[in-house]
Amino acid sequence: MRTRPLKVALLGCGVVGSEVARIMTTHADDLAARIGAPVELAGVAVRRPSKVREGIDPALITTDATALVKRGDIDVVVEVIGGIEPARALITTAFEHGASVVSANKALLAQDGAALHAAAEGNGRDLYYEAAVAGAIPLIRPLRESLAGDKINRVMGIVNGTTNFILDKMDSTGAGYQEALDEATALGYAEADPTADVEGFDAAAKAAILAGIAFHTRVRLDDVYREGMTEVTASDFASARGMGCTIKLLAICERAADGGSVTARVHPAMIPLTHPLASVRGAYNAVFVEAEAAGQLMFYGPGAGGAPTASAVLGDLVAVCRNRLGGATGPGDSAYTQLPVSPMGEVVTRYHISLDVADKPGVLAQVATVFAEHGVSIDTVRQSGKDGEASLVVVTHRASDASLDGTVEALRGLDTVRGVASIMRVEGE
């Protein structure tokens, strides 16, 4: 074993960063044995140096992150500060000064992953980011390495624990959205401002990363269709149960049937109770991968939290340090296919549409005619009502998003349709 330690700079010492530092200290001997050399925490960049950080030598604390990554003796920079800047500048500077980087920064990777990979490759260094997508769940490395010889056609998953907790509570207890969100906040699953989670921004960034890796193409955050879950209601869950389904906020990345394009989207969807993702409860994450040779695979586990995320960071740290000792680098960016990302209007899926209609003869015929005129085939229809008002639930066969939009616009023009109560996609059939 080499006795000279590999030096690690830690950018950020919050919930995740403090766990990374703790594990590096308490498991130092094991890490050294696995890597083939000791690892040494050489500096910790923070914004508030006066805060007491148990187990970390105060002499390591600095507010000058740029000076830390420029030192020249740093082997690996671990970035867990999040956001776009100064993280982007710090990572680029780290590469320029000879360090490899381990990051958990999904937003930055989704927006500028190509440029960061280019900077890493140009300087002969590694960029690893297992912790950016699904916490402790090994997912990036299986996609980049274990399935590198296979053709992946679809990646569909629950990649945000906060939204899954809220939807699970609504399903299991009958709670409304706000009530379930309040409980998630009280338990620490939801931030004081939950917008990034409940509006799908967090999941969209992860979808961009997953699609790029799975399909070997460039997918940016702006390419991902995003729809939040704040409009999901208890009545939506009642409708889902009537179909033998539940509702999940899903990140879905697909290769087109002809192989000529890909799509990436995040939205709530009904999913059959028989599908493996339907049984994912609480704040857990799970990702379902469909590959030509391997078939169907599911990765499941805690997708957030200090210790789980730190576990993924440390896994990357071990891999990068091994590469450093061997004078090699691991898998880099792979975007050789250069496939276009299709707009949401071209996505084909099933739909569940709930309409408020007049309770009188001929309504169903009018509605069915509108669907037929727009080329949308109906799978099932359920109607109930009294006292002149009725509810009509239509489940379609597979149709494009654009054709469904035209159908709904035409339905709103019927004098017998009082309103469109809800529209939800149906996935996983």
Side-chain angles (χ1 to χ4, degrees):
M1 179 186 293
R2 192 180 88 164
T3 56
R4 184 172 68 81
L6 293 161
K7 294 189 176 182
V8 177
L10 179 61
L11 307 183
C13 198
V15 173
V16 176
S18 60
E19 279 296 308
V20 170
R22 181 188 67 79
I23 294 172
M24 284 185 64
T25 302
T26 58
H27 295 177
D29 291 342
D30 286 337
L31 290 173
R34 295 165 191 170
I35 292 169
V39 287
E40 174 189 311
L41 189 59
V44 182
V46 299
R47 286 185 298 175
R48 296 186 293 275
S50 59
K51 181 179 178 180
V52 176
R53 293 171 172 86
E54 188 176 347
I56 298 178
D57 183 352
L60 297 177
I61 302 296
T62 178
T63 57
D64 194 343
T66 301
L68 177 59
V69 301
K70 282 185 173 181
R71 275 178 36 174
D73 64 334
I74 300 296
D75 294 289
V76 184
V77 170
V78 174
E79 182 271 311
V80 288
I81 57 178
I84 306 302
E85 292 292 358
R88 174 169 49 197
L90 291 170
I91 290 173
T92 303
T93 301
F95 290 140
E96 292 170 349
H97 286 77
S100 290
V101 174
V102 173
S103 176
N105 196 330
K106 54 187 171 286
L108 178 58
L109 288 158
Q111 178 171 307
D112 287 319
L116 295 178
H117 273 292
E121 183 177 352
N123 290 279
R125 293 295 177 252
D126 276 322
L127 173 62
Y128 276 48
Y129 43 91
E130 185 68 67
V133 172
I137 304 172
L139 184 58
I140 300 299
R141 197 167 297 137
L143 291 177
R144 290 211 298 186
E145 300 179 29
S146 303
L147 295 172
D150 208 339
K151 181 181 180 182
I152 297 172
N153 292 317
R154 196 171 202 236
V155 179
M156 179 172 75
I158 299 161
V159 294
N160 184 280
T162 299
T163 56
N164 199 57
F165 178 88
I166 293 170
L167 291 173
D168 184 37
K169 278 295 175 182
M170 292 176 70
D171 188 21
S172 61
T173 69
Y177 166 76
Q178 189 60 51
E179 183 183 352
L181 172 60
D182 290 344
E183 183 173 353
T185 304
L187 292 173
Y189 292 128
E191 301 286 346
D193 179 1
T195 302
D197 295 325
V198 300
E199 293 295 352
F201 290 101
D202 175 85
K206 295 171 181 177
I209 295 170
L210 289 173
I213 295 171
F215 307 133
H216 304 280
T217 195
R218 298 264 187 255
V219 180
R220 289 170 50 89
L221 181 58
D222 292 344
D223 296 321
V224 181
Y225 172 82
R226 177 194 55 79
E227 185 181 320
M229 48 158 279
T230 57
E231 301 301 317
V232 177
T233 65
S235 62
D236 290 327
F237 275 101
S239 294
R241 283 191 290 272
M243 292 177 56
C245 293
T246 187
I247 299 172
K248 299 291 186 183
L249 185 75
L250 298 177
I252 303 171
C253 312
E254 290 181 303
R255 189 191 301 270
D258 63 5
S261 65
V262 300
T263 59
R265 50 198 166 99
V266 169
H267 53 72
M270 294 183 180
I271 188 168
L273 295 174
T274 53
H275 194 282
L277 290 176
S279 62
V280 179
R281 311 300 297 270
Y284 275 73
N285 285 190
V287 176
F288 199 72
V289 177
E290 298 177 24
E292 284 198 357
Q296 297 178 332
L297 309 168
M298 192 167 91
F299 301 84
Y300 168 84
T309 306
S311 171
V313 170
L314 268 294
D316 278 352
L317 179 64
V318 169
V320 169
C321 286
R322 286 172 175 169
N323 292 344
R324 190 84 171 189
L325 289 179
T329 55
D333 194 19
S334 174
Y336 68 90
T337 63
Q338 299 183 14
L339 295 172
V341 182
S342 297
M344 189 62 187
E346 297 178 12
V347 171
V348 174
T349 188
R350 297 173 68 206
Y351 292 88
H352 175 282
I353 305 103
S354 180
L355 304 171
D356 294 327
V357 299
D359 187 15
K360 63 182 185 180
V363 172
L364 180 55
Q366 283 187 318
V367 169
T369 298
V370 169
F371 276 88
E373 288 174 346
H374 288 80
V376 179
S377 175
I378 294 176
D379 182 16
T380 61
V381 177
R382 185 172 70 252
Q383 184 173 6
S384 61
K386 61 180 180 179
D387 300 327
E389 299 295 331
S391 174
L392 189 66
V393 175
V394 178
V395 179
T396 74
H397 288 291
R398 292 175 66 83
S400 72
D401 199 72
S403 64
L404 198 281
D405 285 345
T407 303
V408 171
E409 184 177 352
L411 288 171
R412 289 193 169 106
L414 297 177
D415 58 5
T416 53
V417 175
R418 310 296 193 217
V420 180
S422 68
I423 303 171
M424 191 167 294
R425 296 169 183 87
V426 182
E427 300 285 347
E429 72 269 34

